[in-house]
Amino acid sequence: MTLLAMIFMSVALAGVTVLTAWCYYRVLKEESLSTRSKDQR
Amino acid sequence: MWGSRLGVILAVSGSAVGLGNFLRFPGNAAENGGGAFLIPYFIAFLVLGVPIGWAEWTMGRLGGQKGLHSAPAIIGYWGRGAAARYLGAFGVLVPLVVYFYYVLIEAWCLSYAWDYLSGGIGIAREQTVAQQVAASADYFGELSGRAADGLFAAGGSGQSIVFWVIAFTLNLWFLYRGLSRGIEAFCRWAMPVMAVCALILLIRVLTLGTPDPALPEQSVASGLNFMWNPDFSALGSFQTWLAATGQIFFSLSVGFGVIINYASYMKKNDDVVLSSLTSSATNEFFEVVFGGMITLTAAVVFLGLAATHANVGGTFSTGFVALPVVFVRMPYGELFGAIWFFMLFLAAITSSLSMLQPTKAFFREALDVSHGAATAIVAALCIAGNIFVLWFSKGLVALDTLDFWVGTFMIFIVAGTQIICFGWVFGIDKALAEAGRGAQVRIPRLFRFVIKYVSPAYLLVIFLGFCWYDLPPYWRSVFGDPQTGAPAERAVIYSWLVILGTIALLMAVTAIGARRWRAQGLDIDGRGAAADGPEPGREDSQ
């Protein structure tokens, strides 16, 4: 496997993984906050 | 209404993640510059996929607040009039007609999964790759009825009919159960299961090493290199950009009329910006990580570079001809074959469900019929459409014709109409302010310019490129190739009649619906739009 192939693959995989993880982190954080505030009410 | 925000995100993600993620993307990338393909691919994601996604989610949510849930009504509202409304009818045509053939492909996946669970598809292990590919192609040809027209008699096999009935019934059952108890409940478990299946396959493929030391070039590293090694000269070709944009465009389910319907069941202040981005990111994760690592790597390891080049490219040749040969050669191939095709089945059914729901919503609100009656209308139309595609199975001409004209060409019309209505007719500032209502993240200001100018222009260029490069070869393949001949022509003409008939039906129902919506006092022409919604610039973001 060439170095360039490895670089392209790593950047693409890291990019979509970080984006997806960040999105779900924000969504789930918001969901848990709203569940907690409902429970408190 | 949706049961939860995560539920709607998973439902939209399920709609987007389909066979193309695992079968079309890797072939497309390898043929168009490998790793370099990712450059136009991610540019298209940013200037087309993400902005149109935001537009669709926003249009759908506001439409739902106005009591509208179907694409014609919602696009008519945003486009302020009858022209947009009738163009919006294509947002029902696309999912309905794509379902005519898509559920059959879904049935093939289930059929293959069943075959692998019960011992494989009968390809002898000791044969050469070429012989196995030929046997695999024969098996697929028999299952799909590629040899001749007809149902049980000359063309299609009985097995494909049995699995079509199973797949169709499952779709109808989840549709009948409704949005929250049916589609959402199913997607909430189907998406994680799909991810687990893909992860198992990914680990299996990446740990294959070099199975035959006598063939050192058939290794995981060679497979990854085949997929990812960048060829920068491909970036100079317009067709690379066309292929990358097409991949993003069709993969994300934008312009399908699905997201606009799904989002119409959200609450007024539910976030659409992060939700849209999350479902797009989920689709990209499945496509780049799983699609980009599993399919071609496994093919190169077991078939070699030359056979992979020759047999991998199109969705069907990759998924239903080349990969079954890979599973014959892989240790415990029956098990991994069953997992692979079950995963494809889940990817397909979460997409096909999303095609039925917008159609049901349209008939329900346009004809003012009950939930059960709307489901029955959709079922009747889809049975007729499925039988048409099943009958004209020779060379898969009917399937290809519907896919080319409706599943590709008309998506441009829906997406173009939406982005023009969003950015120009409704007004970009008001539209972005509406998108920002309840948003968890702010849409960067740069996207005001992108959505208004870049996305429509990019879409137009890609559409013209599609007409320039893809229409003439398609035309020649139908009418100029002596191998396709008269029967293909006949099936093409019948397919056009099906498309035109469906368009006429949807336009008529839209006209009936418009009269009914007006009588109900609904603002279908967006006359009150100027007075509605938050003021531009008052984005409620975090």
Side-chain angles (χ1 to χ4, degrees), chain A residues 1-6 8-13 15-17 19-20 22-24 26-31 38, chain B residues 5-6 9-10 35 42 221 224-225 228-230 232 274 277-278 281-282 284-285 288-289 293 440-441 542:
Chain A
M1 191 177 186
T2 65
L3 182 65
L4 264 180
M6 204 173 283
F8 266 84
M9 186 180 82
S10 307
V11 170
L13 297 186
V16 293
T17 306
L19 175 67
T20 310
W22 178 79
C23 286
Y24 277 101
R26 291 295 307 265
V27 168
L28 294 173
K29 189 174 132 192
E30 184 69 19
E31 287 252 296
K38 267 185 205 162
Chain B
R5 184 173 161 214
L6 190 61
I9 289 171
L10 289 177
F42 282 121
L224 292 174
N225 196 58
W228 292 96
N229 193 33
F232 294 106
L274 182 62
L277 194 61
T278 306
T282 308
E284 290 315 294
F285 187 80
V288 176
V289 177
M293 302 282 279
Q440 256 184 281
V441 290
Q542 199 173 311

Side-chain angles (χ1 to χ4, degrees), chain B residues 20 36 60 126 182 300 310 429 457 507 526:
Chain B
E126 58 280 356
V300 169
D429 292 321
M507 293 296 172

